[in-house]
Amino acid sequence: MLAFVAMLWGLGPMSVQSPAWLGEFSASFHACMRSAKRWQRSRSDDENLFEIARMACAEAEWKRRDRVLNQLYKRVHDRLPPAQRTRLAALERQWVTEREMQCNAETEKHSFESEGVTFYLCRVHATNQRIRWLRAPDVRATRNAAR
């Protein structure tokens, strides 16, 4: 996760603009982070406000991705037969619990980073992985069989 955060902030070998990361974060997120960086340059005296601005960017990105996940989950859930709906709901509850545990652990492990930024970026990454999982071919096959 540290490499993930370092790459995002341009501290690692792969910058934010690298094609590998373009699909992970929205254009709105990149614009927000650039704006926060410009703001920091103009007001270099207040690092705390810069961290708050970056956390707001990360939180907004997570909320955008979470909305996409919730819409996708609802579409998949509504197309399944009742028994599979129950199983999917249980899997989703388990995933949320695991995501929170993982992101809390990542935040604690990298406490020298901005905790809020690390926590929300972890959530973005986990949410994007979950979106890919729900869109996976085996899930699509299950959905098609349920029709």
Side-chain angles (χ1 to χ4, degrees):
M1 183 62 167
L2 178 60
F4 171 74
V5 173
M7 285 184 246
L8 176 67
W9 291 330
L11 303 173
M14 190 183 305
S15 76
V16 173
Q17 299 305 317
S18 172
W21 291 101
L22 289 178
E24 189 78 21
F25 301 101
S26 70
S28 296
F29 173 76
H30 289 291
C32 184
M33 292 296 276
R34 282 191 302 272
S35 178
K37 190 68 173 167
R38 280 192 304 273
W39 186 81
Q40 179 202 24
R41 286 185 193 130
S42 70
R43 299 177 155 266
S44 60
D45 58 332
D46 198 342
E47 186 68 24
N48 289 333
L49 290 177
F50 175 58
E51 290 303 313
I52 291 168
R54 292 194 317 179
M55 187 172 74
C57 295
E59 180 181 15
E61 181 70 2
W62 172 68
K63 286 180 177 181
R64 276 190 291 275
R65 298 310 296 160
D66 194 51
R67 277 192 299 274
V68 170
L69 175 62
N70 289 334
Q71 291 167 354
L72 178 60
Y73 173 82
K74 183 171 175 16
R75 281 197 313 267
V76 170
H77 181 270
D78 291 350
R79 292 179 180 161
L80 294 173
Q84 289 180 335
R85 285 181 185 182
T86 301
R87 172 118 171 88
L88 180 62
L91 288 171
E92 205 62 18
R93 283 190 301 274
Q94 178 184 353
W95 173 78
V96 168
T97 300
E98 290 172 3
R99 179 199 66 196
E100 292 305 299
M101 288 174 38
Q102 175 189 357
C103 291
N104 284 330
E106 287 294 331
T107 301
E108 287 176 22
K109 188 176 6 175
H110 306 294
S111 61
F112 58 88
E113 299 286 349
S114 171
E115 290 179 5
V117 174
T118 301
F119 182 73
Y120 283 115
L121 292 181
C122 178
R123 278 182 160 188
V124 169
H125 185 65
T127 300
N128 285 339
Q129 287 178 325
R130 193 61 171 185
I131 289 168
R132 286 189 291 275
W133 181 81
L134 280 170
R135 289 178 174 162
D138 55 331
V139 173
R140 282 196 301 271
T142 302
R143 287 191 315 234
N144 291 338
R147 289 184 192 174

